[in-house]
Amino acid sequence: MAVTRTFSIIKPDATRRNLTGAVTSMLENAGLRVVASKRIHMTREQAEGFYAVHKERPFYGELCDFMTSGPVVVQVLEGEDAVKRNRDVMGATNPADAAEGTIRKSFAESIEANSVHGSDSDENAAIEIAFFFKPEEIVG
Ligand code: CMP
């Protein structure tokens, strides 16, 4: 299995409850390594740009409100089959559907305040990583 990278966000509901370490620990225990990390307060422009793919969805405005409501931690994660590994440990988007032992089952408050984001493909991982990180900020 190839070692690849994925992009992760620890969302405002999790930073607000001081869960950055707990979430990162679950990512590390799942075999992922943090090779870049920064805590930022997303601007409206960044949130709208990052989630542009959801622009036509009814929840887009509220999603951008939520993602700019407090600090987030953006991270690049590395590991074998990183996109799938991360999605497996995150659990389903809606915490009501998330499996036991996943981050969202453990911590998410709702489908919107669902504690973490993770890329859904290698192609989108590369786009999302480049949205927030310069190559020299990633140290594997
Ligand atoms: P994320 O992986 O960050 O990608 C888009 C986000 O939209 C998703 O996680 C959810 O937090 C959020 N969202 C809010 N409402 C919905 C909804 N009804 N269906 C899907 N995603 C939603």
Side-chain angles (χ1 to χ4, degrees):
M1 193 71 70
V3 172
T4 58
R5 288 177 175 172
T6 190
F7 176 74
S8 165
I9 304 176
I10 301 176
K11 295 187 179 186
D13 66 284
T15 62
R16 177 171 45 78
R17 289 174 287 151
N18 206 22
L19 293 171
T20 297
V23 169
T24 302
S25 183
M26 289 179 78
L27 297 170
E28 290 177 340
N29 287 337
L32 293 159
R33 178 179 295 267
V34 179
V35 295
S37 181
K38 56 188 171 191
R39 182 176 172 102
I40 62 169
H41 197 135
M42 262 193 219
T43 64
R44 185 86 198 177
E45 191 179 15
Q46 281 177 312
E48 288 180 355
F50 183 78
Y51 281 117
V53 63
H54 295 302
K55 204 170 189 162
E56 306 306 326
R57 307 284 285 273
F59 57 82
Y60 177 69
E62 283 181 9
L63 174 61
C64 293
D65 290 344
F66 171 64
M67 292 301 289
T68 56
S69 68
V72 300
V73 179
V74 291
Q75 297 187 312
V76 181
L77 308 175
E78 191 174 87
E80 286 189 3
D81 203 5
V83 168
K84 181 177 187 304
R85 195 174 282 266
N86 185 38
R87 291 181 74 78
D88 285 349
V89 71
M90 284 196 305
T93 303
N94 187 343
D97 302 327
E100 286 295 336
T102 61
I103 294 169
R104 285 167 169 162
K105 178 71 176 182
S106 303
F107 300 128
E109 296 178 320
S110 66
I111 193 168
E112 177 178 272
N114 64 355
S115 301
V116 280
H117 164 83
S119 309
D120 63 4
S121 66
D122 287 347
E123 188 186 21
N124 283 336
I127 293 168
E128 292 176 358
I129 289 168
F131 194 92
F132 286 103
F133 290 97
K134 298 178 191 142
E136 63 268 28
E137 292 177 314
I138 303 167
V139 183

